[in-house]
Amino acid sequence: MKTIERRKEIIERVFAAQDEDGFWKRITEKDKGYPQHLHYVPAFRATLWSLILLAELKCNREDPRIKKPFVTLKNHFFDAESGIYSLGQDHYPIPCLNGNMLYLDGYFNGGKDLRNMQVLAFFHQNQRFDDGEYDLPKNPLCSNTSCYGKHSCYWGIVKLMKGISFIPEAKRSKEARKLLDKCIRFVLLHKVCFSSHHPGKVMIKKIEWLTFPNMYKSDFLEILWLLKREKVHSSVLSEAIQLLQSKQHADGNFNLEREVHRMTTSVGRINEANPFITERAREVLDYYS
């Protein structure tokens, strides 16, 4: 089956899992975390993750089945008092959640939104880029140890970078451009996926395993792909590019090496050639060749 046909078939399977109200798997009032975690859990099956899957599959931006769940999602997660997307006090503030919401809005709506500007202003002002040592005064707004500690959560920074990358350049505020630059510099400091303190060692377990879609945990390919989108050129990318080249098979394809479990629908089998990973990897290698 060709990639385009495969994409259409999976997209229709995702939409087939919508309930009669247009949402995906939902928790109820009896479940832990309700209502803050509504549309966020169960992991990778709730509405947030299903919409990310559709965006990753390049779903038609104008598909009417997307509008209601996405508008509801934005209204549910947005905290007007803080000006960011939030799950209440749970891990407040969460850069990966906000990055994913920026990504979805950029993909489906073109990114120009007052709430997005508030999110970008907040993280431009407060996002920490800890790298083992943090010699600046601790920011109480970014103090949870899951997202900020001796080393800032790399996924949060990557997702902020992804969210901004899907806002058209002409629509990016000054804060957005500065925040993006900080994210890119932090990624380059780590040569995409390697420890800045132990050269040659990958910084996060399984970051070197190719996966699709990229929910909140990425892989090194998505990071290279985002750097390509932003036309970033640097000699420090060579090691990650060589790692990607080493995974290409003789027929030009790339395997799915790590599955995202419990998704709404499968996008392929592990250790088999995957058209979506292959498409993305070839884009990266063509650009950096």
Side-chain angles (χ1 to χ4, degrees), residues 67-184:
K67 185 174 181 179
K68 178 182 177 181
F70 185 51
V71 169
T72 301
L73 200 72
K74 290 175 66 176
N75 292 336
H76 179 74
F77 288 138
F78 192 74
D79 176 18
E81 183 176 349
S82 62
I84 62 173
Y85 295 103
S86 173
L87 297 177
Q89 292 304 307
D90 187 0
H91 294 77
Y92 177 89
I94 310 176
C96 66
L97 170 63
N98 283 270
N100 276 329
M101 291 300 294
L102 289 172
Y103 165 55
L104 288 175
D105 202 73
Y107 183 84
F108 289 118
N109 290 331
K112 190 65 173 178
D113 183 282
L114 177 59
R115 282 175 289 193
N116 291 349
M117 296 177 69
Q118 290 178 274
V119 167
L120 291 164
F122 178 96
F123 284 96
H124 167 256
Q125 180 68 32
N126 298 299
Q127 175 66 23
R128 283 168 38 190
F129 294 85
D130 309 0
D131 186 43
E133 296 180 359
Y134 191 70
D135 56 6
L136 297 175
K138 292 291 184 180
N139 183 343
L141 288 177
C142 292
S143 60
N144 80 72
T145 55
S146 294
C147 303
Y148 309 97
K150 291 183 178 180
H151 199 297
S152 292
C153 177
Y154 198 52
W155 302 134
I157 291 170
V158 169
K159 293 308 167 188
L160 286 173
M161 180 173 75
K162 183 175 184 178
I164 300 170
S165 183
F166 276 80
I167 299 174
E169 288 189 41
K171 296 182 180 180
R172 295 177 190 176
S173 64
K174 182 188 299 184
E175 290 85 355
R177 293 193 297 271
K178 289 183 178 180
L179 178 58
L180 176 62
D181 183 63
K182 290 180 181 179
C183 292
I184 290 173

